[in-house]
Amino acid sequence: MTPVLEAAGLRRTYPVPGPRPWRRSTREAVVDVDLALEPERSLALVGESGAGKSTLLRLLLALEVPDGGSVRFRGAAVTPRDPGRLRHDVGVVVQDAGSSLDPRATVRTSLREPLECLDGWADVDHDARVDELLAAVGLDPEQADRRPHQFSGGQRQRIALARALIANPSVLVVDEPFSAVDPATRAHLVDLLGTLARRSRLQLLLVTHDLGVADRLCDDVVVLAHGRVAEAGPIADVFARPRSTAAQDLLGAVGRLPEVRA
Ligand SMILES: Nc1ncnc2c1ncn2[C@@H]1O[C@H](COP(=O)(O)OP(=O)(O)OP(=O)(O)O)[C@@H](O)[C@H]1O
Ligand SMILES: [Mg+2]
């Protein structure tokens, strides 16, 4: 079956600013990455800080041009110039999403915006859709006319999640959604994502440092180390018998898997 989202040979190198501009060095953030989000499965992307996870997501989402390789969404090539169905079908919650909300816009304005930009939502009551999504992420729709600073960090992450889901995507890409919140809010957000994914047949592509969260929400895993795929496969296999040093190190750092698997 054709993967929903597929990368082949992706590369991205960044210049590293140094004291001597005539001896410019570079950093390979993503190196020859192949990856597939298979139909009806969710994928976790794990790796230590700086491994290239966020860069890889930007390439997969056609937000940045790769130096090499290609991305396909539902079989069609995607590029920043021509992202095709990807922009409609994929919701995105960026790293530190809470602070990515426009501070001047009310929550209602921020949530309505994707509906106003995308095709197919002209006949829908946008305000009703906003209320529905806020309720779905556990927020009071009555508070939609507040601005982001009037919410807590955890609430802002829920707002970012509601915004990513508002146009009913089939895939949700989430970069470290649980880093800036306390453990109780994190547990609640993990439950919420799991429920939403099951209820609306939403596939997740989740970047996380938390292997317990990956285990709970995803079926497959890609372990990234120094920009390369160190190991990939079903989570149950990789976590039980990690073959790469990178996967062993990540699992070793956790000690053992936290008991979050339901
Ligand atoms: N726009 C950029 N310009 C220059 N270097 C960059 C840029 N974006 C990322 N890098 C570098 O590429 C490497 C990978 O960064 P990236 O943000 O993808 O890592 P990450 O795995 O998401 O880390 P974290 O878990 O800390 O979020 C790092 O060395 C980073 O400094
Ligand atoms: Mg990152």
Side-chain angles (χ1 to χ4, degrees):
M1 256 196 293
T2 313
V4 174
L5 186 62
E6 187 177 21
L10 275 185
R11 299 184 76 92
R12 184 71 171 104
T13 303
Y14 292 115
V16 178
R20 286 165 296 192
W22 60 92
R23 284 188 58 192
R24 269 182 51 185
S25 60
T26 55
R27 171 170 293 121
E28 291 185 302
V30 168
V31 190
D32 288 336
V33 168
D34 296 340
L35 168 156
L37 175 67
E38 300 291 350
E40 297 186 23
R41 291 181 75 82
S42 286
L43 177 67
L45 190 55
V46 302
E48 62 183 19
S49 189
K53 304 180 298 293
S54 296
T55 305
L56 178 56
L57 282 194
R58 288 196 299 277
L59 299 175
L60 288 169
L61 293 166
L63 296 171
E64 208 169 296
V65 184
D67 297 316
S70 59
V71 178
R72 303 183 84 78
F73 182 64
R74 301 198 186 282
V78 293
T79 60
R81 226 172 239 256
D82 186 8
R85 286 177 61 192
L86 187 114
R87 290 280 176 271
H88 292 75
D89 261 10
V90 180
V92 184
V93 183
V94 296
Q95 195 165 7
D96 198 12
S99 51
S100 71
L101 294 164
D102 181 348
R104 293 156 307 175
T106 66
V107 166
R108 183 172 301 285
T109 307
S110 284
L111 263 68
R112 283 177 58 115
E113 196 201 354
L115 300 178
E116 280 151 17
C117 298
L118 295 173
D119 300 335
W121 290 93
D123 298 335
V124 174
D125 180 342
H126 291 185
D127 284 322
R129 179 75 184 150
V130 168
D131 292 351
E132 184 189 356
L133 257 288
L134 286 175
V137 299
L139 288 171
D140 183 357
E142 300 255 313
Q143 299 181 340
D145 295 310
R146 296 192 188 176
R147 287 170 216 282
H149 73 271
Q150 293 168 297
F151 291 88
S152 72
Q155 287 173 324
R156 282 197 292 271
Q157 289 199 315
R158 289 176 200 221
I159 296 166
L161 184 59
R163 189 175 192 274
L165 292 169
I166 195 127
N168 205 16
S170 58
V171 176
L172 182 69
V173 174
V174 201
D175 194 348
E176 282 294 355
F178 317 113
S179 49
V181 295
D182 61 82
T185 308
R186 184 180 315 146
H188 191 93
L189 284 174
V190 172
D191 278 350
L192 183 69
L193 263 186
T195 310
L196 291 172
R198 270 193 310 277
R199 205 191 288 156
S200 9
R201 295 171 65 87
L202 180 72
Q203 287 183 258
L204 301 177
L205 172 50
L206 179 74
V207 168
T208 181
H209 282 116
D210 189 329
L211 301 187
V213 169
D215 188 41
R216 169 91 185 264
L217 294 177
C218 298
D219 309 292
D220 298 317
V221 63
V222 168
V223 181
L224 214 59
H226 308 293
R228 297 173 191 269
V229 175
E231 190 164 347
I235 285 199
D237 296 350
V238 173
F239 284 9
R241 285 173 298 280
R243 285 173 287 112
S244 64
T245 331
Q248 285 163 3
D249 287 351
L250 281 177
L251 286 156
V254 177
R256 64 193 170 88
L257 269 184
E259 321 67 48
V260 291
R261 190 182 263 284

